[in-house]
Amino acid sequence: MATTFDICTIDDIPANRARGFTIELNDETFDFFIVRKDDSIYGYINSCPHTGVNLEWMPDKFLDLSGSVIQCSTHGAQFRIENGFCIYGPCLGRYLERVELEVRDNNIKLIL
Ligand code: FES
């Protein structure tokens, strides 16, 4: 059975930016991030498919300087925001692992 977690409101994520989150689940830490692009949101586990490290170089810094792609800070892999597909770097052709999100009444919920 799926479990739902209240994460934040849409307004907590600035337009065309990202924000990282950590929740504790059964004594394990679950790191993920949410990107808000235009009117849509996208969520991924915070783990680069190249080596498994977290992607951001500073808190909430998951995007490149232009804000158009997700970028891993370790070796520079770039991923499409819309589907997590790697378009550049050592994990070319692989995907970030998506997390299921639901938006209701301006609130973002994580579904596990
Ligand atoms: S760890 Fe992300 S590109 Fe190498």
Side-chain angles (χ1 to χ4, degrees), residues 34-61:
I34 298 173
V35 183
R36 180 178 173 191
K37 181 177 180 185
D38 301 323
D39 293 331
S40 298
I41 58 164
Y42 306 90
Y44 299 98
I45 292 177
N46 187 3
S47 176
C48 180
H50 182 213
T51 69
V53 297
N54 288 2
L55 291 122
E56 77 274 39
W57 56 280
M58 285 179 59
D60 302 326
K61 301 297 185 189

Side-chain angles (χ1 to χ4, degrees), residues 6-79:
D6 292 323
I7 302 302
C8 65
T9 70
I10 288 183
D11 298 330
D12 291 330
I13 305 173
N16 301 310
R17 299 269 181 81
R19 187 166 164 196
F21 299 91
T22 300
I23 60 173
E24 299 294 324
L25 188 63
N26 299 328
D27 295 329
E28 290 188 30
T29 300
F30 184 77
D31 285 330
F32 66 103
F33 64 99
I34 298 173
V35 183
R36 180 178 173 191
K37 181 177 180 185
D38 301 323
D39 293 331
S40 298
I41 58 164
Y42 306 90
Y44 299 98
I45 292 177
N46 187 3
S47 176
C48 180
H50 182 213
T51 69
V53 297
N54 288 2
L55 291 122
E56 77 274 39
W57 56 280
M58 285 179 59
D60 302 326
K61 301 297 185 189
F62 292 90
L63 306 181
D64 73 336
L65 291 178
S66 72
S68 59
V69 292
I70 297 163
Q71 182 167 293
C72 178
S73 61
T74 303
H75 304 115
Q78 294 182 340
F79 307 85

